Amino acid sequence: PRQNQNSEGAPIHHPPFGIQVVRFALPLLLLLALNLWGAKKNPQPIIEKPFTPLEAAKTMQVPKGFNVTLFAGEPDIKQPIGFCIDDRGRLWVAEANNYPDKKGGKKDRIIILEDTDGDGRHDKRIVFYDKLEYVSGIEVGFGGVWVMSIPNFYFIPDKDYDGVPDGKPIVLLDGFGTHANAHNIANGFAWGPDGWLYGTHGITNWSLLGKPGTPKAKRRRFEGGVWRYHPVRHVWEPFAIGTTNPWGIDWNEYGHAFVCNCVDPHLFHIIQGAHYEPARNRPTSRFAYERIPTIADHLHFTNTKTIRAGIGTPEEDAAGGGHVHSGTMIYLGDNWPAKYRGQVFMNNIHGRRINHDRLARNGSGYIATHAPDVMRAADPWFVGVTLAYGPDGGVYVSDWSDTGECHHTRNTQKHTGRIYKITYGKPKPWKGDIGKLNTAELVKLHGHPNDWHVRHARRVLQERATLAPGQTAGQAELIRVLTTHRDTARRLRALWTLHSTRELSAKRLAGLLRDESEHLRAWAIQLLCENKKPSERVRAVFESMARTDKSPLVRLYLASALQRLPVAQRVSVLKALLAHAEDSADQNLPLMYWYATEPVVAADKQTALQLLAACKIPKVRQFITRRMATGRDAGKKE
């Protein structure tokens, strides 16, 4: 028969049957042996069953005196990617039901959870909106809800916050990146002390931003970092560029911003106009040459070459749990013990815990040192995302609740999600509505020990000033606090509110450039340059401050502010800053000076030579020379 002949008709001699079996089976046996050996060397994780929501709360390990309660759990909540707290203390939760399918349709939604009887568990639930495409951030204010739902940034009106939208979502900006992976995207929102809405943004899905209909040539490219949007003037701008996938931003009592990074170095002090590690070949950072590193003096993971290798090991557990972090929170509440105030906390996803870093000033910036974790979850499905303290000082933490996320076995569960509340002792339940207080009551709240009340009061006053320009009720008391109070933090609170409500004259603000507090001088610089048009008289004071001010923090704010000025207006201040040889070893100043200097060098060779002659900081001298050699029209990325 043909099957026993070759192509030329010659007979085929088959080996004995036993030999055939060995030939067939030997490779399979070898492959099986290799797989068994590999499994022993790199065992696959066993998918454990989750704890029930109540059991997960009860088994969390917290310091003595702390308590964990379940605020909400499935089926009432699913896929909680982010949340915010409104003026009534209600939680507005963004549910990412589409994740990880960015083209999964409009299934994401926003729900409102309320604890009406003060027992620490929600008992009222409203579905606010359920037709979002890929939600990743939420905030409330100015008569509605601000939502990141890539590729769009929405405002959903709800003037009375009754949980029923007043109209369809309004697209404020579009073009947020969706082209790469599922999670490295624009995300979480927070109101800044200066009246802007801030957001964080991962690098992989870089964005081309603009209002709907803006042609590509006029759109702004943003490659990751921190950005902000003004809710009244509807202006978008980048604030800082870099990190890998920042997720969450918060401010300390001096208005200094911090973000944690979801992958690799976990914490950064965010400075306006800065470029941060890692480089990631960002085109808009091509002439940065070097980027500001993490402020943390430690890592929460052990294997820096293969970061996944240490997940779950005892060594990594002792270091802090893993390399992926989310949900930056600077605790400024009034429930936890005083030793936690002003410290930074973040969810550690692989470590199933909340990490705690102590912040300490160092030159113009900070150093963060590892402190004992404030919570460890026994539930194998715990994946913390968002942290926020509320009106009673207790801290809410959202739990994605999944079998795996971010660099370990992924088996996304669509039906799970929890929010827990961590308190010290039993705080007195808070009931109220900041939005219904009168102006005098809102101003009085600026002295509250819990900054949650201060921030909400400031935003409500800003909203009212927008609706009724020229309203001066409360201005006198805030100016009194600004000019006479002994506590710097209280003075800053008054300053930020006066600025955001447009009740602070340029003359009074300029007067703060001579204030005895470095923090007031620094913030006066930033606010005077917010519109990018400081007066000639103010610029002259900047030059004097650059020469004589002894505070490295003030010089840092000058370096940031210069980036907002035309190139020709920077030179005299730069010459004075670059003459500070003592700044050479500062962790921020040489690079921030360079970021302000680079466009000047690129624009004018003669001016570049003048700056080179004035410069006493070796790193900046090197960068000036390098940039001059590159020329104005550099064709390749550096």
Side-chain angles (χ1 to χ4, degrees), residues 258-269:
F258 299 84
V259 300
C260 66
N261 191 30
C262 193
V263 180
D264 296 349
H266 65 271
L267 189 64
F268 294 86
H269 168 206

Side-chain angles (χ1 to χ4, degrees), residues 408-457:
H408 51 31
T409 302
R410 179 177 296 176
N411 183 24
T412 301
Q413 306 296 310
K414 296 288 189 182
H415 64 286
T416 52
R418 296 96 183 263
I419 294 179
Y420 308 100
K421 188 176 182 182
I422 304 174
T423 59
Y424 185 78
K426 293 184 178 180
K428 181 180 179 181
W430 179 87
K431 296 297 294 182
D433 186 347
I434 303 293
K436 291 184 177 179
L437 299 181
N438 62 40
T439 299
E441 291 169 324
L442 292 171
V443 170
K444 185 177 180 180
L445 276 183
H446 281 61
H448 201 288
N450 182 352
D451 205 53
W452 182 91
H453 294 270
V454 184
R455 296 182 185 193
H456 282 253

